[in-house]
Amino acid sequence: MNAAQLTAWLTRFAELVHAQRDELTALDSAIGDADHGSNMDRGMTEVVAALAEAPPDDAAALLKRTGTTLVSKVGGASGPLYGTLFLRMAGAIGDGFAPALRAGFEGVLARGKAEPGDKTMVDALGPACDVLDAGGSLAEAAQAAADGRDATVPLVARKGRASYLGERSAGHQDPGATSTALLLQAAAETLGGVQGQGEEATP
Ligand SMILES: [Mg+2]
């Protein structure tokens, strides 16, 4: 997994977030503060610009730049959580994409203190990591993330702003799980042929 491949992934994620910005915001307006689409769109636009301005020459540096950009540019919960995801991935990308995503997921769990079933991005990211750890493809991981996203609809939120609504949060799809499903969709579209290549495959 080299810097060019990861740039393609993050660029595609930025495109998907931009295209679905209004949908993400509509989901967040139902159970949050209506800023998830604009926050993620602004953050990923900044990431793509930062990577283009001074392209990092290795995968770890690229992921670190991505994480620090999101932490500094995106407010609310999503900046620190997505930032942590990428920063933790930076430390493990030498082992391959699946171990890196698992490390990122563990960072998100530690930072957000959410558990599976709390109606957060964890509910999309966890199933995707499980699929990859079991040897599944990125396409299968993306499907697992999408299924996890769909499964947030009936849940009562136990973390984040949506939890203030209590039972009234049920019946709405979680915006964070929705953007995370886009992250995995982007991975399947751009990295599907190169998954499983660790550092040994990258000169
Ligand atoms: Mg929000």
Side-chain angles (χ1 to χ4, degrees):
M1 198 64 62
N2 62 35
Q5 291 160 341
L6 293 172
T7 298
W9 169 44
L10 295 168
T11 301
R12 181 61 182 145
F13 179 48
E15 289 172 357
L16 291 170
V17 164
H18 183 73
Q20 299 196 29
R21 168 194 164 117
D22 292 347
E23 182 187 329
L24 291 169
T25 286
L27 292 171
D28 197 29
S29 67
I31 58 171
D33 55 356
D35 64 359
H36 193 59
S38 53
N39 276 345
M40 291 301 294
D41 186 27
R42 188 178 68 254
M44 287 310 299
T45 298
E46 295 274 1
V47 165
V48 170
L51 298 180
E53 187 178 304
D57 51 13
D58 72 79
L62 181 145
L63 290 165
K64 192 174 174 197
R65 175 93 52 83
T66 299
T68 54
T69 300
L70 289 174
V71 167
S72 64
K73 301 291 184 186
V74 180
S78 46
L81 289 169
Y82 273 98
T84 297
L85 170 66
F86 291 113
L87 288 169
R88 293 293 187 90
M89 284 190 78
I93 192 64
D95 298 327
F97 188 81
L101 196 67
R102 172 64 67 180
F105 175 55
E106 288 172 355
V108 168
L109 288 174
R111 176 95 199 200
K113 307 210 163 34
E115 294 173 10
D118 283 351
K119 198 180 181 92
T120 71
M121 65 188 289
V122 164
D123 295 319
L125 193 50
C129 288
D130 291 343
V131 164
L132 293 178
D133 286 348
S137 68
L138 282 165
E140 289 166 335
Q143 185 59 53
D147 291 345
R149 170 202 66 203
D150 294 346
T152 65
V153 173
L155 296 175
V156 173
R158 290 193 296 249
K159 278 287 176 293
R161 200 175 287 264
S163 66
Y164 305 162
L165 294 176
E167 299 287 335
R168 283 181 292 137
S169 64
H172 300 282
Q173 183 174 304
D174 181 62
T178 304
S179 58
T180 295
L182 296 179
L183 183 70
L184 272 296
Q185 179 187 335
E189 290 178 7
T190 57
L191 305 174
V194 295
Q195 180 205 2
Q197 294 179 2
E199 190 136 66
E200 72 281 355
T202 306

